[in-house]
Amino acid sequence: GAVVSQHPSWVICKSGTSVKIECRSLDFQATTMFWYRQFPKQSLMLMATSNEGSKATYEQGVEKDKFLINHASLTLSTLTVTSAHPEDSSFYICSAADRGRPLNSPLHFGNGTRLTVT
Amino acid sequence: SQELEQSPQSLIVQEGKNLTINCTSSKTLYGLYWYKQKYGEGLIFLMMLQKGGEEKSHEKITAKLDEKKQQSSLHITASQPSHAGIYLCGAALFSGGGADGLTFGKGTHLIIQP
């Protein structure tokens, strides 16, 4: 079945540094990838939609200069949290839509990245 | 207000009993996805519903989408410890379906008591 690999699974960084999270579709091509954020015991909140070869679309309230998204290929999207602060600590999870499937096909999720900013 | 309401927020069920989780949208659903998540881990796809009145089953889990396509229920029969986890409903609220991203409910934390 379709697999989405997310790396790293957890990361601890110091305040002020930047952290890059990778999301890869392993056995399919993903024209579109989505980045979500989840706080403890909360639902997933869509942060941005990553489109291969074009600029990402950010949801209202999400700072595009803080959360840089790059989708340079059909199998890789990256989310970089720049100048991280403790309030950026959260669980980040990506999902990908298989370009070879109909629009309403299941979205495949990565296993998430737990970011802790000290 | 929350576009997607999921209930109950948490549920403790004795092993072997049946249970139902509901997901209600304030908008028409272009697709409704059920996922299971262990906290701090990725999402496991369970089922997707698209047509009004549609019902799907997998092992002991059945999901339905009502005729008006604004409410879905997830029913587990004869619950087992392996069913424990967080169940999330995700809705495609736009005509592009899942390709436009999903809006998620807050989740239902299911605990199975032996």
Side-chain angles (χ1 to χ4, degrees):
Chain A
V3 176
V4 174
S5 174
Q6 193 170 335
H7 179 80
S9 56
W10 60 271
V11 58
I12 301 173
C13 71
K14 291 186 176 181
S15 186
T17 61
S18 296
V19 175
K20 180 184 285 187
I21 303 170
E22 293 186 348
C23 182
R24 293 180 185 273
S25 57
L26 296 186
D27 53 359
F28 65 96
Q29 293 182 327
T31 310
T32 305
M33 289 185 175
F34 305 92
W35 287 96
Y36 292 85
R37 184 173 181 176
Q38 186 180 34
F39 290 105
K41 299 185 179 180
Q42 298 290 322
S43 185
L44 280 74
M45 297 298 297
L46 180 64
M47 297 175 64
T49 302
S50 169
N51 301 296
E52 187 268 336
S54 64
K55 292 182 179 180
T57 304
Y58 290 82
E59 296 298 303
Q60 190 174 10
V62 178
E63 298 176 60
K64 60 180 180 180
D65 294 331
K66 174 131 184 96
F67 298 100
L68 300 178
I69 291 174
N70 184 278
H71 193 159
S73 76
L74 287 171
T75 59
L76 174 64
S77 176
T78 60
L79 169 69
T80 301
V81 182
T82 63
S83 187
H85 289 98
E87 57 265 31
D88 297 325
S89 299
S90 190
F91 187 65
Y92 294 87
I93 190 166
C94 69
S95 71
D98 186 340
R99 70 181 300 201
R101 301 288 302 276
L103 288 177
N104 255 332
S105 297
L107 293 176
H108 307 288
F109 284 80
N111 282 329
T113 297
R114 175 155 305 288
L115 171 64
T116 301
V117 185
T118 60
Chain B
S1 63
Q2 186 81 8
E3 288 181 311
L4 206 61
E5 293 285 347
Q6 196 172 332
S7 63
Q9 290 186 9
S10 62
L11 189 59
I12 301 174
V13 174
Q14 192 174 9
E15 183 177 351
K17 298 294 185 182
N18 303 335
L19 64 106
T20 299
I21 299 168
N22 294 302
C23 183
T24 303
S25 171
S26 58
K27 300 179 180 180
T28 298
L29 300 168
Y30 288 91
L32 192 287
Y33 302 70
W34 283 100
Y35 290 89
K36 181 183 175 184
Q37 182 189 29
K38 289 185 178 180
Y39 177 63
E41 298 183 11
L43 276 64
I44 300 169
F45 171 74
L46 297 176
M47 271 170 281
M48 181 192 75
L49 305 165
Q50 190 176 351
K51 299 177 182 178
E54 187 174 9
E55 178 176 325
K56 289 186 178 179
S57 293
H58 178 66
E59 297 180 344
K60 294 186 177 180
I61 301 176
T62 300
K64 302 178 185 179
L65 182 62
D66 74 341
E67 290 288 344
K68 293 184 179 180
K69 294 174 61 176
Q70 285 193 266
Q71 185 171 17
S72 178
S73 60
L74 184 82
H75 185 77
I76 298 177
T77 305
S79 59
Q80 300 172 349
S82 60
H83 289 129
I86 301 170
Y87 289 81
L88 289 161
C89 63
L93 299 178
F94 303 97
S95 59
D100 286 334
L102 300 180
T103 298
F104 283 89
K106 289 187 175 181
T108 295
H109 188 189
L110 174 62
I111 298 169
I112 306 296
Q113 275 189 339

